[in-house]
Amino acid sequence: MKLEDFQIELKPLPGAMPVWHGRVDARQWRTACQQVRDKGGRLVALWGSDNSDRGGGFAVHAALTVQSGLLVIELPFSGGSFPDISDIFPAANRMQRAVRDLFGVGAENAADQRKWLRHTAWPADVFPLRKDASFEFPVSSSKLELNPEAQLATRNSRLETGQTDDYPFVRVEGEGVHEIPVGPVHAGTIEPGHFRFSIVGEGVLRLEERLGYKHKGIEKRFEQMTLAEGAKLAGRVSGDSTVAYAWAYAMAVESAAGMTPPPRALWLRALLLERERVANHLGDLGFLGNDAALGFGLAQFLRLKEDWLRMNAALFGHRYLMDTIAPGGVARDVTPEGMAIMRRDMGAMEGTVALLKGVYDEHAGLQDRFIGCGRIKPDHADRLGLTGLAGRASAVAWDLRAQFPPVPYGEFEVRMATHRNGDVAARVTVRFEEIFESLRLLRLILDRLPLGELASAVPTPPAGALGIGWVEGWRGEVLIALETGPNNGIRRLHPHDPSWQNWPLLERAVLGNIVPDFPLINKSFNLSYSGHDL
Amino acid sequence: MYHLLKQIIVTGIKTEAPPQPDETLRVTAERLRAEILDYFAGALTIRHVDAGSCNGCELEIHMCNNPYYNLEGLGIKFVASPRHADMLLVTGPVSRHMEVALKRTYDATPDPKLVVAIGDCGCTGGIFGESYASCGRVSNVIPVDVAVPGCPPTPLAIMQGILTAISRKA
């Protein structure tokens, strides 16, 4: 899709990634989406904004992939709704519903009009992301006294008055069909969400997700912060992807301010991002072995991950590399000794991972559970918009590091891992291959790390400046869309996790599988709840 | 199978010494009698509840069971239901959407029980604070015995918090 094919006035945004921005009317909104879809493009994110305090109405924004980069279109509208695009991009369904929950304006005539992020925590007539949203809330709807005896007496009455979330799940009916409700508090040490299985015997007929339990007002919180303060919050949108979010945030701020960090800072960011990818893949490979009853895999991979995290702590001061990236550059440097230790450590680790890959590949019991389990076929992945690591296991050949490489990735010719089987086995294989590729990239970075400053000053961007950050995290592409406010403030910020796209595909992946395979399939996607619920 | 067995032998035993309890982590005075704590010290079961964290604390709770820390080696294990648990390990600022679920989980845990809040958000509400969507610290919603700061706290700090909750005051 060439840019001139769109009948839209487009303006390039400064910054590390090729991004174009343009305003559209309601007709162009759908036409542009259809044009992108017809050429095989995808919807990366959809979010809303409120301009009523400055004489406008609401606006809805979409980020779409095109041949030359990212197309960000904005549709300002004065009525209560905008045209639905969930028929063009099915992934838009939940995003549009979230816009309605937070702004009170939704997609017109969309097939699915149910709430999504809204439960019952705030009143039905309150839309938290509106600029004039002012409503009193108690610190806690039931703050406890410090005396435990008094608490016991009042707790039961409180629970009775606690509203329940009346979500209209789709019911499957027929002889022998029954439901298994799971969550929000799950049986393992994982994040909260609700899964509703409709089953016959052990076979899954339907799975429906209900998320939003972790909604803690991140987008509103950003609007109370300065651009410098926001970096810390960006690194806590999804704790396992802190580097990806912090880099995307820094990229967005640098784009709005029209500045470029020094080369050494960008190379160190890539080093941190690849270290984050390896840490997460090691952990996932361990848990995937464990979920298929190979405890050996969990012990071995978590040992490797622990060594890796300790190296992070020793070299960068934090096991998960939080707060190492800030707008303008990076907060930590590496010494030549540190680089030598890292190189030596990687050599030993690579050998062990290769050995463990051999054990996994040849373990009949493990392969019996992995192969054919939780399959997303390539045509479904394409039609429904699967992305990131899970997408690459279903022939969606998309990796920002290869497609639109920011500095320094352009130097490395990143080898994208892609497979076609789309099952748990394919997602395991992609993880193994990406670990080896990340180790190759890390060696190249260490060999050629340029000398120089760690950070440059970030000039104050004008109010109303736009900035986009777009980074290939370990799970998939993370997007940060920023509009600045006056005095280094944040007017609107939308962080977007690839889990938005992939959660609906998990519902599909379990169809026809048995309930006991769900934990394994779920783990093979390992999607973020926090990054999605915001 | 040969490679698997060989790798187990080559790896050897990696487990390190556990941390000592730290009384400064205690939020409320001991609520449980010493005899009960003695029972817990030998075989403690934990139900983890993520009440709204960023998932960072969960990563470190997972790591408590890696071969270096080997929490289960101390007789402390995670269970799938609050009805089987002696202790709740709660992370996050408590999102309003998790408030009822957290209270119900607390009620489902049989007495006598302990609650350990994990992470800066669990201790104070952290960077998310209190808002239309967040109740803030865990002790705003259920009683807390021990609170472990950190973003996220290391596995050793988490273990120290757990061990403090089941130790007698010196």
Side-chain angles (χ1 to χ4, degrees), chain A residues 319-366:
Chain A
R319 284 162 59 89
Y320 294 91
L321 306 170
M322 280 177 171
D323 307 322
T324 50
I325 295 178
V330 291
R332 307 285 297 210
D333 201 2
V334 284
T335 59
E337 300 79 54
M339 290 161 70
I341 295 170
M342 230 187 292
R343 212 180 258 119
R344 196 189 61 212
D345 183 60
M346 284 189 319
M349 208 269 282
E350 187 164 30
T352 312
V353 174
L355 188 145
L356 294 175
K357 182 170 191 302
V359 171
Y360 271 34
D361 286 348
E362 288 164 24
H363 196 286
L366 208 58

Side-chain angles (χ1 to χ4, degrees), chain A residues 138-139 141-142 144 151 155 159 186 188-189 212-216 221 239 300 306-307 310 318-320, chain B residues 7 11 16 47 50 52-54 60 62 66 68-69 95-97 99 103 107 127 130 132 141 143 151:
Chain A
V139 167
S141 56
S142 52
L144 293 186
Q151 291 160 16
R155 192 178 311 116
L159 279 178
H186 291 155
T189 302
Y213 287 93
K214 298 192 96 173
H215 180 78
K216 46 193 177 281
R221 187 82 187 84
Q300 290 289 335
E306 178 69 23
D307 289 340
R310 288 180 180 193
H318 195 283
R319 284 162 59 89
Y320 294 91
Chain B
Q7 180 64 12
T11 306
E16 298 167 350
R47 173 64 262 185
D50 177 345
S53 80
C54 77
E60 289 296 47
H62 282 146
N66 78 33
Y68 285 97
Y69 304 107
S95 72
R96 281 169 188 279
H97 291 167
E99 188 184 350
K103 283 177 180 158
D107 279 358
I127 194 166
E130 290 168 359
Y132 77 92
V141 179
C151 187

Side-chain angles (χ1 to χ4, degrees), chain B residues 4-5 13 16 50 52 77 82 102 119-120 134 149-150 167:
Chain B
L4 189 153
L5 293 173
I13 293 174
E16 298 167 350
D50 177 345
K77 69 169 187 172
L102 178 60
D120 285 350
S134 166
S167 70

